[in-house]
Amino acid sequence: MLETNTPYLEDPLGNEHILDFDITHLGRSVESEIVIISNRASREHAIIRRDGRKVFLEDLNSTNGTFLNGERVLASAQLRDGDEVMVGEVVFKFHDPDTTTRETPFPELEVNIEAGEVRLNRRRLSLSPKEFALVAYLYENRGKVCSKDDIGRAVWSEYQSGIFDYQIENLVRRLRTKIEIDPNAPQLLVTVRGLGYKMLGKIEDAG
């Protein structure tokens, strides 16, 4: 039976693997705490290490790599509730009951303007050039109300004759479908009626 507030991995069959050791080994070896049945898994593929309430994923120089939310793990990476861990061809979901018993966490948006990357809760988003230009401008002015005129000049700098309100509204609507958990109840990109838009919330600078 799952211990109260103990982090665990859920495999594709719904089995729960409790992470109650300081170090949990994942791999093809039968000596691993979590045995991975996959030809793409190394005998000693990865470990999950607990440090107090924090849980970290580390690759053990495996042949085919360990992936966190679709990206290869190159260094020790802290796991968060809902993360997906792929070892070989097997995808696990990480659960932290201590997190899920608290209030729903605010969406975490990371913006790396120099690299042209945006992540929501550590998952990379695919944005159009205009969507990225909008989120980058709002990020640089986070906490401030940005008028439609300011947004128009920043995002459509190539047009000198001005941008229609509906173009900005449509772009905001599209961006919300990418960065909001519920686009109809935005938490990050809010409308300030009569004034414009404002970026709120836990914003992480990835640059």
Side-chain angles (χ1 to χ4, degrees):
M1 183 176 179
L2 185 65
E3 297 179 23
T4 303
N5 292 338
T6 302
Y8 64 96
L9 290 182
E10 180 183 358
D11 67 25
L13 297 178
N15 299 311
E16 298 173 354
H17 303 268
I18 304 171
L19 303 173
D20 51 0
F21 295 104
D22 289 340
I23 296 180
T24 299
H25 297 80
L26 298 88
R28 280 204 337 268
S29 171
V30 294
E31 297 178 354
S32 300
E33 284 78 27
I34 301 179
V35 178
I36 309 297
I37 303 176
S38 169
N39 291 332
R40 292 184 59 81
S42 299
R43 285 181 54 79
E44 297 181 353
H45 196 106
I47 62 170
I48 291 179
R49 176 173 54 83
R50 291 187 60 179
D51 183 1
R53 285 303 309 166
K54 296 181 179 179
V55 182
F56 298 88
L57 174 66
E58 299 175 11
D59 182 71
L60 298 178
N61 296 315
S62 63
T63 301
N64 295 304
T66 301
F67 293 81
L68 174 60
N69 298 326
E71 297 193 17
R72 190 162 187 160
V73 174
L74 301 177
S76 181
Q78 184 177 348
L79 294 176
R80 300 178 187 175
D81 186 67
D83 280 346
E84 291 186 348
V85 175
M86 186 171 76
V87 177
E89 297 171 326
V90 182
V91 178
F92 297 87
K93 178 164 282 191
F94 175 72
H95 294 278
D96 184 354
D98 187 55
T99 297
T100 56
T101 56
R102 296 194 296 267
E103 293 182 2
T104 302
F106 206 93
E108 183 177 308
L109 189 69
E110 301 174 59
V111 180
N112 188 327
I113 295 176
E114 292 183 358
E117 292 183 353
V118 178
R119 297 172 186 269
L120 179 65
N121 295 334
R122 301 201 299 172
R123 289 174 169 80
R124 185 183 297 174
L125 302 179
S126 176
L127 302 180
S128 70
K130 291 301 183 189
E131 289 167 351
F132 179 79
L134 175 58
V135 76
Y137 176 72
L138 293 172
Y139 164 76
E140 290 183 316
N141 293 278
R142 57 197 180 279
K144 301 177 183 178
V145 178
C146 299
S147 70
K148 290 181 179 179
D149 286 342
D150 291 338
I151 291 173
R153 284 191 292 268
V155 177
W156 285 272
S157 58
E158 68 274 23
Y159 297 125
Q160 301 300 320
S161 58
I163 298 298
F164 294 107
D165 282 358
Y166 79 86
Q167 293 174 276
I168 296 171
E169 292 163 2
N170 286 341
L171 182 61
V172 168
R173 190 176 301 113
R174 292 200 304 272
L175 180 60
R176 279 177 172 156
T177 66
K178 304 285 185 67
I179 70 171
E180 299 286 359
I181 303 301
D182 180 0
N184 294 318
Q187 295 176 280
L188 292 169
L189 175 48
V190 300
T191 300
V192 181
R193 191 171 298 279
L195 296 176
Y197 301 97
K198 181 165 60 173
M199 184 74 79
L200 296 177
K202 184 178 180 182
I203 309 297
E204 299 292 338
D205 184 357

